Amino acid sequence: MSTLTHSTAWLRDEAQVVGRATSRTIERIAAHQQAKADAFVRPYLARLTEKELAERGFASTEITKIKAAANESLPVHL
């Protein structure tokens, strides 16, 4: 007589569901942190010329986004 109330297949399925949810959560946190970092760095990068940005490996679409941030104020942390 088994003392388990659920089969091992059920437990495996639940673990996969939890794993996928955890993975999505971590991806969302990482994307949010990357967006914050980009917003912090973009005004500094906007001070560089397009040639300097290209030399640093930025694509033309990235350079356009960076140059659009030229009017943003630099972040200040106390």
Coordinates of all heavy atoms in Angstrom, one line a residue:
M1 N 0.8 -1.2 0.0 CA 0.0 0.0 0.0 C 0.9 1.2 0.0 O 1.8 1.4 0.8 CB -0.9 0.0 1.2 CG -1.8 1.1 1.3 SD -2.9 0.8 2.7 CE -3.6 2.4 2.9
S2 N 0.6 2.1 -0.9 CA 1.4 3.3 -1.1 C 1.0 4.4 -0.2 O -0.2 4.6 0.0 CB 1.4 3.8 -2.5 OG 2.1 5.0 -2.6
T3 N 1.9 5.2 0.4 CA 1.5 6.3 1.2 C 1.5 7.6 0.4 O 1.2 8.7 1.0 CB 2.5 6.5 2.4 OG1 3.8 6.6 1.9 CG2 2.4 5.2 3.3
L4 N 2.0 7.5 -0.8 CA 2.0 8.7 -1.7 C 0.6 9.0 -2.2 O -0.2 8.1 -2.6 CB 2.9 8.6 -2.8 CG 4.4 8.4 -2.5 CD1 5.2 8.1 -3.7 CD2 4.9 9.6 -1.8
T5 N 0.2 10.3 -2.2 CA -1.2 10.6 -2.7 C -1.1 11.0 -4.1 O -2.2 11.0 -4.8 CB -1.7 11.8 -1.9 OG1 -0.8 12.9 -2.0 CG2 -1.9 11.4 -0.4
H6 N 0.0 11.2 -4.7 CA 0.2 11.6 -6.1 C 1.2 10.7 -6.7 O 2.2 10.2 -6.1 CB 0.6 13.0 -6.3 CG -0.4 14.0 -5.8 ND1 -1.6 14.3 -6.4 CD2 -0.3 14.9 -4.7 CE1 -2.2 15.2 -5.7 NE2 -1.5 15.6 -4.7
S7 N 1.1 10.5 -8.0 CA 2.0 9.6 -8.7 C 3.3 10.4 -9.0 O 3.3 11.7 -8.9 CB 1.5 9.2 -10.1 OG 1.3 10.3 -10.9
T8 N 4.4 9.7 -9.3 CA 5.6 10.4 -9.6 C 5.5 11.2 -10.9 O 6.2 12.2 -11.0 CB 6.8 9.4 -9.7 OG1 6.5 8.4 -10.6 CG2 7.1 8.8 -8.3
A9 N 4.7 10.8 -11.8 CA 4.5 11.5 -13.0 C 3.9 12.9 -12.7 O 4.2 13.9 -13.3 CB 3.6 10.7 -14.0
W10 N 2.9 12.9 -11.8 CA 2.3 14.2 -11.4 C 3.4 15.1 -10.8 O 3.4 16.3 -11.1 CB 1.2 14.0 -10.4 CG 0.6 15.2 -9.9 CD1 -0.4 16.0 -10.4 CD2 1.0 15.9 -8.7 NE1 -0.6 17.1 -9.7 CE2 0.2 17.1 -8.6 CE3 2.0 15.7 -7.7 CZ2 0.4 18.0 -7.6 CZ3 2.1 16.6 -6.7 CH2 1.3 17.8 -6.6
L11 N 4.2 14.5 -10.0 CA 5.3 15.3 -9.3 C 6.2 15.9 -10.4 O 6.6 17.0 -10.3 CB 6.0 14.5 -8.3 CG 7.1 15.2 -7.5 CD1 6.5 16.4 -6.7 CD2 7.8 14.2 -6.5
R12 N 6.6 15.1 -11.3 CA 7.5 15.5 -12.4 C 6.9 16.6 -13.2 O 7.5 17.6 -13.5 CB 7.9 14.3 -13.3 CG 8.9 14.7 -14.4 CD 9.2 13.5 -15.3 NE 8.0 13.1 -16.0 CZ 7.4 11.8 -15.9 NH1 7.9 10.9 -15.1 NH2 6.3 11.5 -16.5
D13 N 5.6 16.5 -13.5 CA 4.9 17.5 -14.3 C 4.8 18.8 -13.5 O 5.0 19.9 -14.1 CB 3.5 17.1 -14.6 CG 3.5 15.9 -15.6 OD1 4.5 15.7 -16.3 OD2 2.4 15.3 -15.7
E14 N 4.6 18.7 -12.2 CA 4.5 19.9 -11.4 C 5.9 20.6 -11.3 O 6.0 21.8 -11.3 CB 4.0 19.6 -10.0 CG 2.6 19.3 -9.9 CD 1.7 20.5 -10.4 OE1 1.9 21.6 -9.8 OE2 0.8 20.3 -11.3
A15 N 6.9 19.8 -11.2 CA 8.3 20.4 -11.2 C 8.6 21.1 -12.5 O 9.3 22.1 -12.4 CB 9.3 19.2 -10.9
Q16 N 8.2 20.5 -13.6 CA 8.4 21.2 -14.9 C 7.7 22.5 -14.9 O 8.2 23.5 -15.4 CB 8.0 20.3 -16.0 CG 9.0 19.1 -16.2 CD 8.5 18.2 -17.3 OE1 7.3 18.3 -17.8 NE2 9.3 17.2 -17.7
V17 N 6.5 22.6 -14.4 CA 5.7 23.8 -14.5 C 6.4 24.9 -13.6 O 6.5 26.0 -14.0 CB 4.2 23.5 -14.0 CG1 3.5 24.8 -13.7 CG2 3.5 22.7 -15.0
V18 N 6.8 24.5 -12.4 CA 7.5 25.4 -11.5 C 8.8 25.8 -12.2 O 9.2 27.0 -12.1 CB 7.7 24.7 -10.1 CG1 8.7 25.6 -9.3 CG2 6.4 24.5 -9.4
G19 N 9.5 24.9 -12.8 CA 10.8 25.3 -13.4 C 10.6 26.3 -14.6 O 11.4 27.2 -14.7
R20 N 9.6 26.1 -15.4 CA 9.3 27.0 -16.5 C 8.9 28.4 -15.9 O 9.3 29.4 -16.4 CB 8.2 26.5 -17.4 CG 8.7 25.4 -18.3 CD 7.7 25.1 -19.4 NE 6.4 24.6 -18.9 CZ 6.1 23.3 -18.7 NH1 7.0 22.4 -18.9 NH2 4.9 23.0 -18.2
A21 N 8.1 28.4 -14.9 CA 7.7 29.7 -14.3 C 8.9 30.4 -13.7 O 9.0 31.6 -13.8 CB 6.6 29.4 -13.2
T22 N 9.7 29.7 -13.0 CA 10.9 30.3 -12.4 C 11.8 30.8 -13.5 O 12.4 31.9 -13.4 CB 11.7 29.2 -11.6 OG1 10.8 28.7 -10.6 CG2 12.9 29.8 -10.9
S23 N 12.0 30.1 -14.6 CA 12.8 30.5 -15.7 C 12.3 31.8 -16.3 O 13.0 32.7 -16.6 CB 12.9 29.4 -16.8 OG 13.6 29.8 -17.9
R24 N 11.0 31.9 -16.5 CA 10.4 33.1 -17.1 C 10.6 34.3 -16.1 O 10.8 35.4 -16.6 CB 8.9 32.9 -17.4 CG 8.6 32.1 -18.6 CD 7.2 32.1 -19.0 NE 6.3 31.7 -18.0 CZ 5.8 30.4 -17.8 NH1 6.2 29.5 -18.6 NH2 5.0 30.1 -16.8
T25 N 10.4 34.0 -14.9 CA 10.6 35.1 -13.9 C 12.0 35.6 -13.9 O 12.3 36.8 -13.9 CB 10.2 34.6 -12.5 OG1 8.9 34.2 -12.5 CG2 10.4 35.7 -11.4
I26 N 13.0 34.7 -13.9 CA 14.4 35.1 -14.0 C 14.7 35.9 -15.3 O 15.4 36.9 -15.2 CB 15.3 33.9 -13.8 CG1 15.2 33.4 -12.4 CG2 16.8 34.3 -14.1 CD1 15.9 32.1 -12.2
E27 N 14.1 35.5 -16.4 CA 14.3 36.2 -17.6 C 13.7 37.6 -17.6 O 14.3 38.5 -18.1 CB 13.7 35.4 -18.8 CG 14.5 34.1 -19.2 CD 13.7 33.3 -20.2 OE1 12.6 33.7 -20.6 OE2 14.2 32.2 -20.5
R28 N 12.6 37.7 -17.0 CA 12.0 39.1 -16.9 C 12.8 40.0 -15.9 O 12.9 41.2 -16.2 CB 10.5 38.9 -16.3 CG 9.6 38.3 -17.4 CD 8.2 38.1 -16.8 NE 7.6 39.4 -16.7 CZ 6.5 39.6 -16.0 NH1 5.8 38.6 -15.4 NH2 6.0 40.8 -15.9
I29 N 13.3 39.4 -14.9 CA 14.1 40.2 -13.9 C 15.4 40.7 -14.7 O 15.8 41.8 -14.6 CB 14.5 39.4 -12.7 CG1 13.2 39.2 -11.8 CG2 15.6 40.1 -11.9 CD1 13.4 38.3 -10.7
A30 N 16.0 39.8 -15.4 CA 17.2 40.1 -16.2 C 17.0 41.2 -17.2 O 17.8 42.1 -17.4 CB 17.8 38.9 -16.8
A31 N 15.8 41.0 -17.9 CA 15.5 42.0 -18.9 C 15.2 43.4 -18.3 O 15.7 44.4 -18.8 CB 14.2 41.6 -19.7
H32 N 14.6 43.4 -17.1 CA 14.4 44.7 -16.4 C 15.7 45.3 -16.0 O 15.9 46.5 -16.2 CB 13.5 44.4 -15.2 CG 13.2 45.7 -14.4 ND1 12.4 46.7 -14.8 CD2 13.7 46.0 -13.2 CE1 12.4 47.6 -13.9 NE2 13.2 47.2 -12.9
Q33 N 16.6 44.5 -15.4 CA 17.9 45.0 -15.0 C 18.7 45.5 -16.2 O 19.4 46.6 -16.1 CB 18.7 44.0 -14.3 CG 18.1 43.6 -12.9 CD 18.1 44.7 -11.9 OE1 19.0 45.6 -12.0 NE2 17.1 44.8 -11.1
Q34 N 18.6 44.9 -17.3 CA 19.3 45.3 -18.5 C 18.8 46.6 -19.0 O 19.5 47.5 -19.5 CB 19.2 44.2 -19.6 CG 20.1 44.6 -20.9 CD 21.5 44.7 -20.6 OE1 22.1 43.8 -20.0 NE2 22.2 45.8 -20.9
A35 N 17.4 46.8 -19.0 CA 16.8 48.0 -19.4 C 17.2 49.2 -18.5 O 17.5 50.3 -19.0 CB 15.3 47.9 -19.4
K36 N 17.3 48.9 -17.2 CA 17.8 50.0 -16.3 C 19.3 50.3 -16.6 O 19.6 51.5 -16.6 CB 17.7 49.5 -14.9 CG 16.3 49.5 -14.3 CD 16.1 48.9 -12.9 CE 17.1 49.6 -11.9 NZ 16.9 49.0 -10.5
A37 N 20.1 49.3 -16.9 CA 21.5 49.6 -17.2 C 21.6 50.4 -18.5 O 22.4 51.3 -18.6 CB 22.3 48.3 -17.3
D38 N 20.8 50.0 -19.5 CA 20.9 50.7 -20.8 C 20.4 52.2 -20.6 O 21.1 53.1 -21.1 CB 19.9 50.0 -21.8 CG 20.4 48.7 -22.2 OD1 21.6 48.4 -22.0 OD2 19.6 47.9 -22.8
A39 N 19.4 52.4 -19.8 CA 18.9 53.8 -19.6 C 20.0 54.6 -18.8 O 20.1 55.8 -19.0 CB 17.6 53.8 -18.8
F40 N 20.8 54.0 -18.0 CA 21.8 54.6 -17.2 C 23.0 55.0 -18.1 O 23.5 56.1 -18.0 CB 22.3 53.7 -16.1 CG 23.3 54.4 -15.2 CD1 22.9 55.2 -14.2 CD2 24.6 54.1 -15.4 CE1 23.9 55.8 -13.3 CE2 25.6 54.7 -14.5 CZ 25.2 55.5 -13.5
V41 N 23.4 54.1 -19.0 CA 24.6 54.3 -19.8 C 24.3 55.1 -21.1 O 25.2 55.8 -21.5 CB 25.2 52.9 -20.1 CG1 26.3 53.0 -21.1 CG2 25.6 52.2 -18.9
R42 N 23.1 55.0 -21.6 CA 22.9 55.6 -22.9 C 23.2 57.1 -23.0 O 23.8 57.6 -23.9 CB 21.4 55.4 -23.3 CG 21.1 55.6 -24.7 CD 19.7 55.2 -25.1 NE 19.5 53.8 -25.0 CZ 18.6 53.2 -24.3 NH1 17.7 53.9 -23.6 NH2 18.5 51.9 -24.2
P43 N 22.9 58.0 -22.0 CA 23.3 59.4 -22.0 C 24.8 59.6 -22.1 O 25.3 60.5 -22.8 CB 22.7 60.0 -20.8 CG 21.6 59.1 -20.4 CD 22.0 57.7 -20.8
Y44 N 25.5 58.7 -21.4 CA 27.0 58.8 -21.5 C 27.5 58.4 -22.9 O 28.4 59.1 -23.5 CB 27.6 57.9 -20.5 CG 27.4 58.4 -19.0 CD1 26.5 57.7 -18.2 CD2 28.1 59.5 -18.5 CE1 26.3 58.2 -16.9 CE2 27.9 59.9 -17.2 CZ 27.0 59.2 -16.4 OH 26.8 59.7 -15.2
L45 N 26.9 57.4 -23.5 CA 27.3 56.9 -24.8 C 27.0 58.0 -25.9 O 27.6 58.1 -26.9 CB 26.7 55.6 -25.1 CG 27.2 54.4 -24.4 CD1 26.4 53.2 -24.7 CD2 28.7 54.2 -24.6
A46 N 25.9 58.7 -25.6 CA 25.4 59.7 -26.6 C 26.5 60.8 -26.8 O 26.4 61.5 -27.8 CB 24.1 60.3 -26.1
R47 N 27.4 61.0 -25.9 CA 28.4 62.0 -26.0 C 29.5 61.6 -27.0 O 30.2 62.4 -27.5 CB 29.1 62.2 -24.7 CG 28.2 62.8 -23.6 CD 28.9 62.9 -22.3 NE 28.2 63.8 -21.4 CZ 28.7 64.2 -20.3 NH1 29.9 63.8 -19.9 NH2 28.0 65.0 -19.5
L48 N 29.6 60.3 -27.4 CA 30.5 59.8 -28.3 C 30.0 60.1 -29.8 O 28.8 60.2 -30.0 CB 30.8 58.3 -28.2 CG 31.3 57.8 -26.8 CD1 31.4 56.3 -26.8 CD2 32.7 58.4 -26.5
T49 N 30.9 60.2 -30.7 CA 30.6 60.3 -32.1 C 30.1 59.0 -32.6 O 30.3 58.0 -32.1 CB 31.7 60.8 -32.9 OG1 32.7 59.8 -33.0 CG2 32.4 62.1 -32.4
E50 N 29.4 59.1 -33.8 CA 28.9 57.9 -34.4 C 30.0 57.0 -34.8 O 29.9 55.7 -34.7 CB 28.0 58.2 -35.6 CG 26.7 58.9 -35.2 CD 25.8 59.1 -36.4 OE1 26.0 58.5 -37.5 OE2 24.8 59.9 -36.2
K51 N 31.1 57.6 -35.2 CA 32.3 56.8 -35.6 C 32.8 56.0 -34.4 O 33.2 54.8 -34.5 CB 33.4 57.7 -36.2 CG 34.6 56.9 -36.6 CD 35.7 57.9 -37.2 CE 36.9 57.1 -37.5 NZ 38.0 57.9 -37.8
E52 N 32.9 56.7 -33.2 CA 33.4 56.1 -32.0 C 32.5 54.9 -31.6 O 33.0 53.9 -31.1 CB 33.6 57.1 -30.9 CG 34.7 58.1 -31.1 CD 34.7 59.2 -30.1 OE1 33.6 59.7 -29.7 OE2 35.8 59.6 -29.7
L53 N 31.2 55.2 -31.7 CA 30.3 54.1 -31.3 C 30.4 52.9 -32.3 O 30.4 51.7 -31.8 CB 28.8 54.6 -31.4 CG 28.5 55.6 -30.3 CD1 27.2 56.3 -30.5 CD2 28.5 55.0 -28.9
A54 N 30.6 53.2 -33.5 CA 30.7 52.1 -34.5 C 32.0 51.3 -34.2 O 32.1 50.1 -34.3 CB 30.7 52.6 -35.9
E55 N 33.1 52.0 -33.8 CA 34.3 51.4 -33.5 C 34.2 50.5 -32.3 O 34.9 49.5 -32.1 CB 35.4 52.4 -33.3 CG 35.9 53.1 -34.5 CD 36.8 54.3 -34.2 OE1 37.0 54.6 -33.0 OE2 37.4 54.9 -35.2
R56 N 33.3 50.8 -31.4 CA 33.0 50.0 -30.2 C 32.1 48.9 -30.5 O 31.7 48.2 -29.5 CB 32.5 50.9 -29.1 CG 33.7 51.7 -28.5 CD 33.2 52.8 -27.6 NE 34.3 53.6 -27.0 CZ 35.1 54.4 -27.6 NH1 34.9 54.7 -28.8 NH2 36.0 55.0 -26.9
G57 N 31.6 48.7 -31.7 CA 30.8 47.5 -32.1 C 29.3 47.7 -32.1 O 28.6 46.8 -32.2
F58 N 28.9 49.0 -32.0 CA 27.4 49.2 -32.0 C 26.9 49.2 -33.4 O 27.6 49.8 -34.3 CB 27.1 50.6 -31.3 CG 27.3 50.6 -29.8 CD1 28.4 51.1 -29.3 CD2 26.3 50.0 -29.0 CE1 28.6 51.1 -27.9 CE2 26.5 50.0 -27.6 CZ 27.6 50.6 -27.1
A59 N 25.8 48.6 -33.7 CA 25.1 48.6 -35.0 C 24.4 50.0 -35.2 O 24.2 50.8 -34.3 CB 24.1 47.5 -35.1
S60 N 24.1 50.2 -36.5 CA 23.5 51.5 -36.8 C 22.1 51.7 -36.1 O 21.8 52.9 -35.7 CB 23.3 51.6 -38.3 OG 22.4 50.6 -38.8
T61 N 21.4 50.7 -35.9 CA 20.1 50.9 -35.1 C 20.4 51.2 -33.7 O 19.7 52.0 -33.1 CB 19.3 49.6 -35.2 OG1 20.0 48.5 -34.7 CG2 18.8 49.3 -36.6
E62 N 21.4 50.6 -33.1 CA 21.8 50.9 -31.7 C 22.3 52.3 -31.6 O 22.0 53.0 -30.6 CB 22.8 49.9 -31.2 CG 22.3 48.5 -31.1 CD 23.4 47.5 -30.7 OE1 24.5 47.6 -31.4 OE2 23.2 46.7 -29.9
I63 N 23.0 52.8 -32.6 CA 23.6 54.1 -32.6 C 22.4 55.1 -32.6 O 22.5 56.2 -32.0 CB 24.6 54.3 -33.7 CG1 25.8 53.5 -33.5 CG2 25.0 55.8 -33.9 CD1 26.8 53.4 -34.6
T64 N 21.4 54.8 -33.4 CA 20.3 55.7 -33.5 C 19.6 55.9 -32.2 O 19.2 57.0 -31.8 CB 19.3 55.2 -34.6 OG1 19.9 55.0 -35.8 CG2 18.1 56.1 -34.7
K65 N 19.4 54.8 -31.5 CA 18.8 54.8 -30.1 C 19.7 55.6 -29.2 O 19.1 56.4 -28.3 CB 18.6 53.4 -29.6 CG 17.5 52.6 -30.3 CD 17.4 51.2 -29.7 CE 16.4 50.4 -30.4 NZ 16.3 49.0 -29.8
I66 N 20.9 55.4 -29.2 CA 21.9 56.1 -28.3 C 21.8 57.6 -28.6 O 21.8 58.4 -27.7 CB 23.3 55.5 -28.5 CG1 23.4 54.1 -27.9 CG2 24.3 56.4 -27.8 CD1 24.6 53.4 -28.3
K67 N 21.9 58.0 -29.9 CA 21.9 59.4 -30.2 C 20.5 60.1 -29.8 O 20.5 61.2 -29.6 CB 22.2 59.6 -31.7 CG 23.7 59.3 -32.0 CD 24.5 60.2 -31.2 CE 26.0 60.1 -31.5 NZ 26.8 61.0 -30.7
A68 N 19.5 59.3 -29.8 CA 18.2 59.8 -29.4 C 18.2 60.2 -27.9 O 17.4 61.0 -27.5 CB 17.1 58.8 -29.7
A69 N 19.1 59.6 -27.2 CA 19.2 59.9 -25.7 C 20.1 61.1 -25.5 O 20.4 61.4 -24.3 CB 19.7 58.7 -25.0
A70 N 20.6 61.8 -26.5 CA 21.5 62.9 -26.3 C 20.9 64.0 -25.4 O 21.7 64.7 -24.7 CB 22.0 63.4 -27.6
N71 N 19.6 64.2 -25.5 CA 19.0 65.3 -24.7 C 18.6 64.9 -23.3 O 18.2 65.7 -22.5 CB 17.8 65.8 -25.5 CG 18.1 66.4 -26.8 OD1 19.2 66.9 -27.0 ND2 17.2 66.3 -27.8
E72 N 18.8 63.6 -23.0 CA 18.5 63.2 -21.6 C 19.6 63.6 -20.6 O 20.7 63.7 -21.0 CB 18.4 61.6 -21.6 CG 17.3 61.0 -22.4 CD 17.3 59.5 -22.3 OE1 18.0 58.9 -21.5 OE2 16.6 58.9 -23.2
S73 N 19.1 63.9 -19.4 CA 20.1 64.3 -18.4 C 20.9 63.1 -17.9 O 20.3 62.0 -17.9 CB 19.4 65.1 -17.3 OG 18.5 64.2 -16.7
L74 N 22.1 63.4 -17.5 CA 22.9 62.3 -17.0 C 22.4 61.9 -15.6 O 22.0 62.7 -14.8 CB 24.4 62.7 -16.9 CG 25.0 63.1 -18.2 CD1 26.4 63.6 -18.0 CD2 25.1 61.9 -19.1
P75 N 22.4 60.6 -15.4 CA 21.9 60.1 -14.0 C 22.9 60.5 -13.0 O 24.1 60.5 -13.1 CB 21.8 58.6 -14.2 CG 22.6 58.3 -15.4 CD 22.7 59.5 -16.2
V76 N 22.3 61.0 -11.9 CA 23.1 61.4 -10.7 C 22.7 60.6 -9.5 O 21.6 60.5 -9.2 CB 23.0 62.9 -10.4 CG1 23.8 63.3 -9.2 CG2 23.3 63.7 -11.6
H77 N 23.7 60.0 -8.9 CA 23.5 59.2 -7.7 C 24.3 59.7 -6.5 O 25.5 60.0 -6.7 CB 23.8 57.7 -7.9 CG 22.9 57.1 -8.9 ND1 21.7 56.6 -8.7 CD2 23.1 56.8 -10.2 CE1 21.1 56.1 -9.7 NE2 22.0 56.2 -10.7
L78 N 23.6 60.0 -5.4 CA 24.3 60.5 -4.3 C 24.7 59.4 -3.3 O 24.1 58.4 -3.2 CB 23.4 61.5 -3.5 CG 23.0 62.7 -4.4 CD1 22.1 63.6 -3.6 CD2 24.2 63.5 -4.8

